[in-house]
């Protein structure tokens, strides 16, 4: 937010100033263009052509030909027009790239990293299991036991030597049954 206050005039050293005044052609502009000072003392504006959108892509060897799209409301700066969802670092600077994997040489735009991760995830086929389980049954898990009826989306489920995440949970209270839709991780 920008606040601009025009406070009026004041009487200094017994010089009477007008009680009212007019403003003409007042405007506030934001520009990411760079201004440099030339030798003649004038400023010169360097305008960059910026993109209104970017596409990031990644491929894998899976036989699926479907495309996946994500409209990123929040995005890094990759020579794009000003937007409201630009990511900032801890110092308040606009983020262009982020370090991934603990290596200073592995700098990527977060959007490209997202595309790479999605392509990597779907590089192999994933199983989906829809099952009905008795809610009162207790299963042994790492660190203790859990009742099937207490499974939450944050839990991981192991079935048939695979690890799955619950993507949908419903409950039939009368029959004490939990319906789980599980997607392989």
């Amino acid at each position: 937010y920008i606040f601009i206050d025009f406070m009026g005039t004041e009487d200094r050293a017994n010089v009477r100033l007008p009680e009212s005044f007019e403003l003409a052609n007042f405007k506030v502009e934001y520009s990411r263009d760079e201004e440099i000072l030339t030798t003649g003392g004038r400023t010169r504006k360097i305008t960059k052509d910026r993109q209104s959108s970017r596409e990031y892509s990644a491929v894998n060897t899976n036989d699926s030909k479907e495309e996946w799209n994500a409209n990123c409301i929040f995005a890094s700066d990759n020579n794009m027009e000003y937007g409201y969802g630009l990511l900032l670092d801890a110092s308040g600077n606009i983020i262009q790239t982020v370090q991934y994997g603990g290596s200073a040489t592995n700098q990527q735009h977060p959007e490209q990293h997202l595309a790479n991760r999605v392509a990597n995830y779907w590089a192999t086929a994933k199983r989906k299991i829809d099952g009905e389980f008795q809610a009162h049954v207790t299963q042994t898990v790492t660190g203790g036991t859990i009742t099937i009826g207490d499974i939450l989306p944050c839990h991981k489920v192991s079935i048939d030597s695979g690890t799955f995440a619950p993507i949908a949970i419903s409950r039939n209270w009368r029959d004490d049954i939990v319906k789980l839709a599980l997607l392989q991780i």
Side-chain angles (χ1 to χ4, degrees):
Y1 295 104
I2 296 177
F3 298 99
I4 299 173
D5 294 324
F6 296 102
M7 303 305 285
T9 61
E10 64 179 271
D11 188 5
R12 289 191 189 171
N14 294 327
V15 176
R16 186 75 180 151
L17 298 174
E19 303 248 341
S20 64
F21 56 92
E22 294 182 16
L23 294 175
N25 300 327
F26 175 78
K27 62 182 170 180
V28 176
E29 294 179 331
Y30 173 80
S31 174
R32 291 176 57 195
D33 297 327
E34 192 176 344
E35 290 189 13
I36 59 171
L37 217 62
T38 60
T39 55
R42 287 195 234 149
T43 59
R44 181 172 175 229
K45 188 178 277 190
I46 299 174
T47 305
K48 293 183 180 179
D49 290 331
R50 298 190 183 273
Q51 303 292 322
S52 61
S53 65
R54 290 271 186 203
E55 285 190 17
Y56 298 89
S57 64
V59 295
N60 60 32
T61 57
N62 192 348
D63 287 336
S64 176
K65 301 298 181 212
E66 289 187 40
E67 290 188 8
W68 178 78
N69 292 315
N71 292 329
C72 299
I73 297 170
F74 301 101
S76 62
D77 181 27
N78 189 0
N79 194 32
M80 295 179 64
E81 294 175 357
Y82 176 75
Y84 292 107
L86 289 175
L87 297 174
L88 303 176
D89 64 11
S91 303
N93 300 319
I94 297 173
I95 292 175
Q96 293 183 356
T97 58
V98 176
Q99 176 180 325
Y100 290 99
S103 170
T105 59
N106 189 10
Q107 298 276 332
Q108 291 181 353
H109 290 280
E111 300 82 9
Q112 182 62 53
H113 187 72
L114 174 63
N116 294 345
R117 290 189 57 156
V118 169
N120 186 39
Y121 176 77
W122 288 111
T124 58
K126 305 295 182 202
R127 293 188 299 165
K128 179 183 175 201
I129 297 176
D130 290 316
E132 293 185 1
F133 304 92
Q134 292 183 338
H136 66 278
V137 174
T138 303
Q139 292 293 316
T140 303
V141 294
T142 305
T145 59
I146 189 169
T147 305
I148 298 292
D150 294 334
I151 289 179
L152 299 172
C154 62
H155 291 117
K156 297 198 178 16
V157 178
S158 295
I159 297 176
D160 193 25
S161 71
T163 304
F164 296 82
I167 58 171
I169 302 170
S170 64
R171 183 112 185 214
N172 179 337
W173 293 96
R174 185 192 70 175
D175 296 332
D176 199 28
I177 292 175
V178 174
K179 294 180 183 179
L180 296 174
L182 305 168
L183 184 64
Q184 186 176 11
I185 298 177

